[in-house]
């Protein structure tokens, strides 16, 4: 338990029902949640290997953007990295991503350029319901200067890529993040899950 | 009951009627938000000169109804994607100066909700609901009736009582006391539990009259 690790706090944000929890749980626990329960707030802790070093990712899964807008600011201030999620089957959810992206830039402005962000399109397996085209994604990726991933939590497509990309960005952006002792949190409202991703 | 005669805000009736007509079977109704641009557009249309607050009162039920009919929610533009209408209604509820469950009564609502015993929680919340001012009571009764209908189609729309309660906890209680330290999640859970309990016992709390034979 006395082991020292570099800890990175990540927050997953996006509109309601786009699949933030499905993405997070697929990564953190390797399973697909098919139930339809909206999230209030859940936290997951994962060991992730990066360049031979074990890092601890603390991933905060949040309620859809509309519900608790007042909390977004708190989440953003606390986090190092951001997973902004939209649904490939609902184009309007890209608008929420854009708004959150701008909110992050405003709040993190004093931290300078290059905030670690990954934009994630979900439900890639629902090809027939798809609304967001490749061209739209290419265009936005260029305009925003952010990496985009198309994923399916159900089929486990490109889910780990998302978090590895983000961890890489965070390690480059905050190379001097101090080594900290692991500690077991006991916040009762949160479920802390432990997992190891290689 | 006299208090049922108090008018429910027409904007709510208008939105709920459209939602019941076009959205009861849509998956994730009330959970899935609309398009921000369309939501804003509809909100402005519904706001513009149509609703006048009575300056003598801060009660939303005192609004004077002028001409809400100028907005046609049956038009393809709104009926084809009812999530814009649900978002407008949620926004309207969030923007009330005093939430539907008034700030002044919230401590007693929270206390009632802390009852671990299901039956006691139900009874105590029933009492708290009865204590609401008439306009709030009538509006809550109408709206819970609407949400009750929504949850009856859970099989098609995936919105169970619990799911609807999570979406409406912060909307009916407001976010006023959300602090910057983010430790209000416990409150949020309680708010959701309160909405869940009221919705679960909707018929008993709002419809049945025990003294009638």
């Amino acid at each position: 338990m006395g082991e020292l690790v570099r800890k990175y706090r990540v927050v997953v944000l996006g509109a309601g029902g786009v699949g933030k929890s499905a993405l997070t749980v697929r990564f953190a626990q390797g399973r697909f949640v098919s139930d339809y329960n909206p999230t209030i707030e859940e936290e997951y802790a994962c060991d992730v290997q990066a360049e031979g070093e074990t890092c601890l990712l603390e991933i905060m899964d949040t309620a859809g953007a509309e519900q608790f807008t007042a909390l977004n600011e708190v989440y953003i201030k606390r986090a190092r990295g951001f997973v902004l999620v939209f649904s490939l089957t609902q184009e309007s959810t890209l608008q929420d991503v854009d708004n959150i992206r701008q909110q992050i830039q405003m709040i993190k402005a004093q931290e300078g350029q290059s905030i670690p962000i990954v934009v994630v399109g979900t439900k890639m397996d629902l090809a027939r319901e798809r609304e967001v085209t490749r061209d739209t994604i290419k265009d936005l990726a260029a305009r925003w200067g952010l990496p985009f991933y198309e994923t399916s939590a159900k089929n486990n497509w490109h889910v780990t890529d998302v978090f590895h990309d983000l961890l890489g960005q965070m390690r480059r952006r905050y190379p001097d993040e101090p080594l900290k002792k692991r500690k077991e949190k006991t916040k009762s409202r949160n479920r802390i899950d432990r997992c190891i991703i290689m | 009951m006299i208090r049922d005669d108090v008018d429910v805000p027409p904007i709510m009736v208008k939105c709920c009627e459209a939602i019941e007509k076009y959205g009861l079977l849509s998956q994730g109704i009330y959970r899935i938000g609309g398009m921000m641009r369309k939501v804003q557009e509809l909100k402005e249309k519904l706001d513009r000169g149509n609703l006048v607050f009575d300056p003598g009162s801060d009660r939303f039920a005192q609004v004077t109804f002028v001409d809400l009919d100028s907005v046609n929610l049956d038009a393809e533009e709104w009926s084809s994607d009812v999530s814009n209408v649900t978002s407008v209604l949620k926004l309207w509820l969030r923007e009330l100066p005093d939430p539907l469950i008034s700030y002044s009564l919230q401590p007693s609502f929270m206390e009632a909700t802390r009852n671990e015993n299901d039956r006691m929680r139900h009874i105590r919340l029933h009492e708290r609901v009865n204590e609401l001012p008439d306009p709030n009571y009538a509006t809550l009764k109408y709206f819970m009736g609407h949400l009750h209908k929504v949850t009856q189609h859970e099989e098609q729309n995936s919105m169970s009582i619990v799911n609807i309660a999570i979406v409406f906890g912060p909307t009916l209680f407001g976010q006023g006391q959300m602090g910057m330290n983010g430790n209000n999640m416990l409150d949020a859970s309680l708010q959701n539990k309160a909405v869940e309990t009221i919705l679960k016992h909707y018929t008993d709390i709002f419809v049945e009259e025990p003294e009638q034979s």
Side-chain angles (χ1 to χ4, degrees):
Chain A
M1 261 314 100
E3 182 198 352
L4 294 171
V5 286
R6 259 178 262 275
K7 222 193 290 189
Y8 296 92
R9 192 175 273 157
V10 170
V11 62
V12 184
L13 297 164
V18 294
K20 294 180 291 299
S21 302
L23 179 83
T24 309
V25 171
R26 166 57 82 183
F27 177 70
Q29 301 182 337
R31 64 190 176 95
F32 177 59
V33 280
S34 55
D35 58 21
Y36 198 72
N37 304 334
T39 304
I40 303 173
E41 180 186 284
E42 297 285 349
E43 195 176 8
Y44 302 86
C46 295
D47 283 337
V48 185
Q49 298 287 333
E51 299 152 30
E53 190 188 330
T54 304
C55 302
L56 181 63
L57 277 191
E58 284 184 350
I59 306 171
M60 182 70 88
D61 181 22
T62 66
E66 217 186 18
Q67 257 65 268
F68 289 107
T69 41
L71 268 180
N72 276 359
E73 193 173 335
V74 179
Y75 289 134
I76 291 169
K77 279 185 177 154
R78 285 181 179 175
R80 288 295 203 201
F82 302 89
V83 180
L84 307 189
V85 186
F86 68 97
S87 168
L88 291 166
T89 65
Q90 196 192 352
E91 186 146 17
S92 64
T93 56
L94 267 171
Q95 183 66 55
D96 297 78
V97 165
D98 191 19
N99 290 348
I100 299 165
R101 181 186 71 89
Q102 292 178 35
Q103 199 185 0
I104 292 170
Q105 277 169 348
M106 245 157 56
I107 292 170
K108 295 273 182 185
Q110 71 278 16
E111 295 191 21
Q113 318 282 309
S114 75
I115 304 155
I117 298 177
V118 176
V119 184
V120 179
T122 56
K123 311 189 190 186
M124 190 188 182
D125 53 291
L126 300 179
R128 272 188 304 182
E129 293 171 43
R130 184 168 173 138
E131 279 184 10
V132 182
T133 62
R134 280 271 153 82
D135 285 343
T136 305
I137 288 178
K138 269 189 205 157
D139 175 51
L140 284 177
R143 253 198 297 154
W144 295 347
L146 296 174
F148 274 63
Y149 286 90
E150 296 184 19
T151 65
S152 161
K154 188 174 180 184
N155 296 349
N156 200 11
W157 291 340
H158 314 302
V159 174
T160 48
D161 300 348
V162 169
F163 291 90
H164 281 279
D165 183 322
L166 188 63
L167 179 60
Q169 289 187 48
M170 290 190 293
R171 284 169 59 84
R172 284 193 293 282
R173 178 66 185 75
Y174 305 103
D176 302 322
E177 200 76 343
L179 290 162
K180 285 182 188 160
K181 246 188 217 157
R182 286 177 186 283
K183 60 171 183 243
E184 296 302 318
K185 289 205 205 166
T186 49
K187 275 192 272 176
S188 60
R189 67 167 195 262
N190 293 326
R191 189 175 65 220
I192 306 274
D193 291 288
R194 222 154 257 308
C195 61
I196 297 174
I197 309 283
M198 304 305 252
Chain B
M1 275 178 88
I2 291 171
R3 58 187 343 200
D4 293 349
D5 297 338
V6 179
D7 277 344
V8 176
I11 185 171
M12 174 179 275
V13 177
K14 190 179 177 79
C15 290
C16 287
E17 282 175 354
I19 292 159
E20 286 175 20
K21 210 157 152 191
Y22 303 107
L24 284 183
L25 306 182
S26 337
Q27 186 177 52
I29 175 138
Y30 278 114
R31 180 181 183 187
I32 308 289
M35 274 171 77
M36 236 161 282
R37 188 172 45 77
K38 297 295 286 180
V39 172
Q40 213 53 45
E41 182 191 329
L42 181 57
K43 182 180 176 313
E44 275 164 29
K45 280 193 172 154
L46 290 169
D47 276 346
R48 195 187 309 139
N50 290 331
L51 289 171
V52 183
F53 275 89
D54 177 351
S57 159
D58 58 357
R59 284 267 160 251
F60 51 83
Q62 300 286 328
V63 293
T64 314
F65 172 47
V66 181
D67 183 23
L68 219 48
D69 293 340
S70 65
V71 185
N72 178 15
L73 293 182
D74 289 322
E76 165 80 16
E77 182 182 17
W78 306 116
S79 64
S80 63
D81 184 0
V82 90
S83 67
N84 294 314
V85 184
T86 58
S87 281
V88 163
L89 185 54
K90 282 165 68 180
L91 188 60
W92 181 82
L93 283 163
R94 278 202 303 274
E95 289 183 346
L96 290 174
D98 192 21
L100 197 50
I101 297 174
S102 332
Y103 283 129
S104 61
L105 291 172
Q106 288 189 8
S108 64
F109 268 84
M110 293 294 96
E111 202 186 316
T113 311
R114 280 194 194 92
N115 267 300
E116 298 280 334
N117 181 300
D118 285 349
R119 195 179 133 70
M120 289 312 288
R121 186 169 62 247
H122 161 200
I123 294 170
R124 291 283 101 81
L125 275 170
H126 190 161
E127 292 166 0
R128 297 297 87 77
V129 167
N130 287 345
E131 285 165 12
L132 285 169
D134 288 353
N136 298 57
Y137 179 89
T139 306
L140 188 67
K141 173 178 175 168
Y142 177 85
F143 193 55
M144 285 293 139
H146 165 72
L147 293 182
H148 181 72
K149 271 181 216 152
V150 170
T151 58
Q152 283 179 321
H153 295 83
E154 178 190 346
E155 218 169 292
Q156 293 89 16
N157 64 31
S158 306
M159 295 306 282
S160 61
I161 288 177
V162 173
N163 286 359
I164 282 285
I166 291 173
V167 172
F168 278 100
T171 306
L172 296 181
F173 281 87
Q175 297 188 11
Q177 53 321 38
M178 281 278 182
M180 290 308 291
N181 48 5
N183 65 357
N184 313 68
M185 278 296 137
L186 234 113
D187 255 19
S189 304
L190 268 185
Q191 292 174 350
N192 298 343
K193 191 76 193 168
V195 176
E196 182 190 324
T197 308
I198 295 169
L199 197 49
K200 201 165 150 193
H201 300 285
Y202 161 75
T203 315
D204 184 63
I205 293 178
F206 292 105
V207 184
E208 276 169 13
E209 303 270 347
E211 51 278 285
Q212 281 177 349
S213 53

